Amino acid sequence: MKKIRAAITGIHSWVPEYRLTNFELSKMVDTSDEWIMQRVGIKERRILKGEGLGSSDLGANAVIGLLEKTKTSPDEIELLICATITPDMFFPATANIISDKAGIKNAFSFDIGAACSGFLFALQTGAAYVETGKFKKVIVVGADKMSSITDYTDRTTCPLFGDGAGAVLLEPTSEEYGVMDYIFHTDGSGRKYLHMKAGGSIRPASHETVDAKEHYIYQEGQSVFKFAVVNMADVAAEIMERNNLKADDIAWLVPHQANLRIIDATGRRMGLPPEKVMINIQNYGNTTAATIPLCLSDYESHLKKGDKLILAAFGGGFTWGSIYLKWAYDPEKK
Ligand code: UT7
């Protein structure tokens, strides 16, 4: 019997309208367009404005668009997984709220929290359900409202992050398309370099934690950079080697968008020319679990059936990993 694989059969992304530019940021903190472009490569990021809106709204917009685009009824979806580190609330899961907002009634749903690697971990989890043969339509969505945990008085973090969401539909195929292989890692000792200090069970929210600004992203940028640049490049090279893939075989590297210098280093390590590397960090900044589906969505018209893609990410946790994916459709035929 042929192995059942999980193929991406549709993709859609959604970002809010409001653009926070480097110029605007330079009026809020002591920074400049030149510094941000040279060190990180971001021009602007999207921010979700409005009372009562959260990551589920980003995710639900992506999912509703995906259902329309793939002509799928919400009733057909059996499982929805949301990768996020900015859930609407501690519980219930943001995936449940997205399902409700998108009219998905027959699915079970849950969240995965693996920071910037969240979409990759969620994609593989969704694929594993499809590969059992029991699930025919699974949605995986990465959604993060990073502006909700960003301190806009801290110049070392506020230029980096933005809000966005991207969703994919996974369906079974007996052909050689879809998720082909994955390599994932975590190292919890890295948590000291990148975390949120309060609001969890160790240090619940109090007046003191709010006054001390402990509900924002804390990052030791240089330390995270050193781990990210080595590990993201290593894991991408490792998955190529394990699957006997040479640079010429690969159509695209789809890297997590945290810093252009990390992306460039990964592409170089894989021996890929820059034109084979998906980059949109300049438009959105680091949207955490949404960067990879946002890239796939922006580049969808360039993708062809059979294209070999390497997805790679590194993020808080530490978490990092890579997926080898064979693209399953020609977009113009959709
Ligand atoms: O996606 C989750 C995983 N996260 C990442 O992958 C992020 C990894 N880290 C990075 O991308 C980089 O470390 C940053 C972009 C966060 C920072 O870049 P860097 O080249 O490591 O800068 P740095 O922290 O070493 O700071 C260099 C200088 C410092 O000034 P001095 O001490 O040299 O005088 C900073 O105070 O740049 C200063 N600086 C800024 N200057 C203008 C820091 N932030 C800013 C800013 N504008 N926004």
Side-chain angles (χ1 to χ4, degrees):
M1 223 174 72
K2 270 195 159 179
K3 180 177 164 51
I4 297 170
R5 295 193 182 278
I8 293 179
T9 55
I11 178 139
H12 192 68
S13 62
W14 194 87
V15 290
E17 259 175 46
Y18 185 82
R19 293 160 195 259
L20 177 59
T21 62
N22 289 349
F23 176 68
E24 199 180 331
L25 270 175
S26 71
K27 293 189 281 181
M28 296 156 66
V29 290
D30 181 14
T31 191
S32 63
D33 178 58
E34 195 193 0
W35 191 94
I36 300 170
M37 282 305 287
Q38 269 181 11
R39 301 281 180 133
V40 207
I42 302 170
K43 263 284 171 208
E44 59 183 31
R45 53 303 276 146
R46 302 299 184 95
I47 305 295
L48 183 63
K49 299 250 182 188
E51 273 297 301
L53 298 178
S55 294
S56 72
D57 296 284
L58 300 165
N61 279 308
V63 168
I64 291 165
L66 176 71
L67 292 169
E68 279 171 16
K69 199 169 155 186
T70 57
K71 300 184 179 61
T72 307
S73 157
D75 293 342
E76 294 176 76
I77 304 301
E78 299 150 305
L79 166 63
L80 184 143
I81 305 174
C82 176
T84 187
I85 52 156
T86 50
D88 280 15
M89 41 187 84
F90 252 135
F91 69 89
T94 300
N96 305 358
I97 306 171
I98 293 174
S99 293
D100 182 47
K101 289 180 176 171
I104 294 171
K105 303 256 185 263
N106 299 327
F108 75 101
S109 50
F110 58 87
D111 287 355
I112 284 185
C116 301
S117 310
F119 184 77
L120 295 191
F121 287 20
L123 180 61
Q124 167 53 28
T125 305
Y129 278 93
V130 172
E131 286 163 10
T132 64
K134 285 189 190 159
F135 292 79
K136 306 285 182 255
K137 288 189 195 286
V138 171
I139 287 180
V140 177
V141 50
D144 268 304
K145 184 185 168 187
M146 294 305 290
S147 62
S148 66
I149 57 167
T150 300
D151 176 1
Y152 288 98
T153 64
D154 173 13
R155 73 171 182 171
T156 70
T157 52
C158 74
L160 307 178
F161 298 97
D163 303 340
V168 297
L169 180 63
L170 289 178
E171 293 182 90
T173 174
S174 52
E175 294 181 83
E176 289 289 293
Y177 297 109
V179 176
M180 307 298 288
D181 193 15
Y182 68 97
I183 302 174
F184 292 159
H185 299 281
T186 60
D187 176 1
S189 69
R191 68 189 181 281
K192 60 178 173 287
Y193 302 115
L194 180 52
H195 58 262
M196 189 195 287
K197 293 198 177 303
S201 54
I202 288 181
R203 202 163 155 70
S206 66
H207 284 294
E208 198 190 335
T209 63
V210 172
D211 290 345
K213 296 186 168 188
E214 289 179 352
H215 298 272
Y216 294 123
I217 301 155
Y218 170 83
Q219 175 169 256
E220 294 178 28
Q222 268 190 22
S223 304
V224 178
F225 186 92
K226 282 181 202 148
F227 282 96
V229 82
V230 172
N231 286 308
M232 197 162 119
D234 276 359
V235 77
E238 190 186 345
I239 207 162
M240 278 176 73
E241 218 167 285
R242 188 155 97 177
N243 290 279
N244 296 316
L245 295 167
K246 304 276 171 278
D248 282 349
D249 301 323
I250 291 164
W252 294 100
L253 165 66
V254 193
H256 171 54
Q257 312 277 309
N259 188 317
L260 197 51
R261 289 181 288 152
I262 300 173
I263 296 170
D264 287 346
T266 305
R268 274 199 306 275
R269 174 74 195 280
M270 295 167 71
L272 293 183
E275 60 273 17
K276 284 189 173 185
V277 182
M278 291 190 187
I279 295 172
N280 61 10
I281 187 172
Q282 68 281 5
N283 300 327
Y284 310 119
N286 183 349
T287 54
T288 304
T291 59
I292 287 177
L294 268 172
C295 263
L296 287 171
S297 175
D298 281 3
Y299 281 81
E300 187 188 16
S301 62
H302 299 273
L303 290 166
K304 293 188 298 296
K305 188 171 182 175
D307 273 356
K308 293 174 179 164
L309 275 50
I310 301 292
L311 283 45
F314 182 93
F318 290 137
T319 58
W320 68 103
S322 188
I323 286 183
Y324 163 36
L325 181 86
K326 267 176 85 179
W327 197 249
Y329 63 90
D330 290 320
E332 64 273 14
K333 288 188 191 142
K334 274 266 147 184

